[in-house]
Amino acid sequence: MAHYVVNGGKRLEGVVTIGGAKNAALPIITAAVLAGERCRIENLPAIDDVKILCKILQKMGASVEFTPDGGMNLDPRGIDPHRGVTFDMVSSLRASYYLLGALLGRYGYVELAQPGGCSIGQRPMDLHIKGMRALGAEVSMSRGKITAKADKLVGSDIYLDVVSVGATINIMLAAARAEGQTIISNAAKEPHVVDVANFLNMMGASIKGAGTDVIRINGRQKLRGCTYAIIPDQIEAGTYMIAAAATGGDVIISNVIPTHLEAISAKLMESGVRVVEGDDGKEFFIRVTADTRLRAVNIRTIPYPGFPTDLQQPMMALLTTAKGNSFIVENIFEDRFNHVAELERMGANIKLNGRTAIVEGVEQLYGAPIYASDLRAGAALIIAALMADGESEVHNIRYIDRGYEHLQEKLRALGADIVRVED
Ligand code: EPZ
């Protein structure tokens, strides 16, 4: 166990380089299982979720070799699908549910412990299962385990009742090796959905329309190994943009794809932050500057290209000291306000009413011992601690280690006074 000690009130200044996208890396590493050959994946984020997923694949028989340049070589040929994905694996990494589509697509068989809910909501998998059944798989659930098998997967038209990133990607994985065409309607359009589709196409799949709400997949008998680099992490980039604004700083966020950040940029500019996009000939960057007290803004989380639910919590931290009342509506997950009590202990003034949080701006937050309940709540608490007057201790940072690489180094390089202390 470890915690961060943060002395707040320092303006963040300088350049931070964004790593590979967690929510693209996890399904892409899993999708490599579909190849009958070795794959090389580059620009991986150095985060615990990637390490946990690779351990799960190794336990199932894959060979995984991390290389010093932040890449990895993965050979899926030793995988035995009958070495089921156990509950301790899935409870340590929810995204292991992508093995449902990958193992079904590659071997026609998968046993997967049903992932539980987590601190942001119930996280059902009904749409994932609806998709597998539509492709012809026999899916049964008993004693907390999902078993799916199919002698042959056949393409089908699948309508997603709710826009679901996980279900969209999982169905793409299985359909990539199904016979005939699959059409996914009401598909998720997140950048990481497009990244997974691009990776599958590099492997020889035929996927069109990723990034729109209708994705067409023509299945292929075989998929080959390839080398692929993960896109920059939209949520990590957005988190640093918000941290820069929240500390009245001046930060260049480098190695980003600006179109992925339009919703965050627009909201920050609406609150009075200066946001400038540019490129230095090598990489795109976004420069965020704030030197006056920010104005309250209203946030509604909706699927991409709307304001991402993963940045709702960091944005709320910033809005705790904006001038006026901000209304934040969390439309995606039913329980994503667990950071509110921690912010209130720092002096924030927030009222909850179902899926709406009303944030009444206060002059200042004050340092306190605070406890993260999930990954993005942890990011929100780090931002609050950076803004606060005095010292904070941010606990349960194992959640933060899952999704933010080299956090202490990146923040210290921007002038933050943050130290990791092993408990
Ligand atoms: C992915 O989760 C991300 N996780 C989440 O990021 C992100 O918040 C979420 O997409 C939304 O963008 C990964 O990519 C590993 P969903 P996922 O299926 O796929 C409902 C982070 O912090 N739903 O798009 O689980 C669901 O309850 C994490 O990086 C069903 O009803 O999210 C939710 O209300 C947190 N039935 C909505 O859809 C289903 O079968 C969106 O969930 C599946 C989902």
Side-chain angles (χ1 to χ4, degrees), residues 86-153:
T86 59
F87 185 72
D88 69 297
M89 293 179 188
V90 172
S91 52
S92 61
L93 177 70
R94 273 194 61 73
S96 43
Y97 55 48
Y98 285 130
L99 284 164
L100 178 65
L103 292 175
L104 197 60
R106 175 80 173 74
Y107 300 101
Y109 182 83
V110 54
E111 267 178 47
L112 177 80
Q114 229 161 325
C118 64
S119 65
I120 61 174
Q122 191 221 340
R123 312 294 291 275
M125 281 189 65
D126 56 309
L127 297 176
H128 299 242
I129 290 163
K130 171 183 175 180
M132 301 308 141
R133 283 181 172 146
L135 294 172
E138 195 192 305
V139 184
S140 58
M141 284 176 285
S142 76
R143 302 200 182 137
K145 196 161 64 170
I146 301 169
T147 305
K149 44 189 159 202
D151 299 334
K152 188 169 71 165
L153 291 175

Side-chain angles (χ1 to χ4, degrees), residues 22-23 97 123-127 164-166 310 332-333 376:
K22 166 178 93 80
N23 292 345
Y97 55 48
R123 312 294 291 275
M125 281 189 65
D126 56 309
L127 297 176
S164 161
V165 168
D310 292 348
I332 308 294
F333 291 110
R376 308 300 176 184

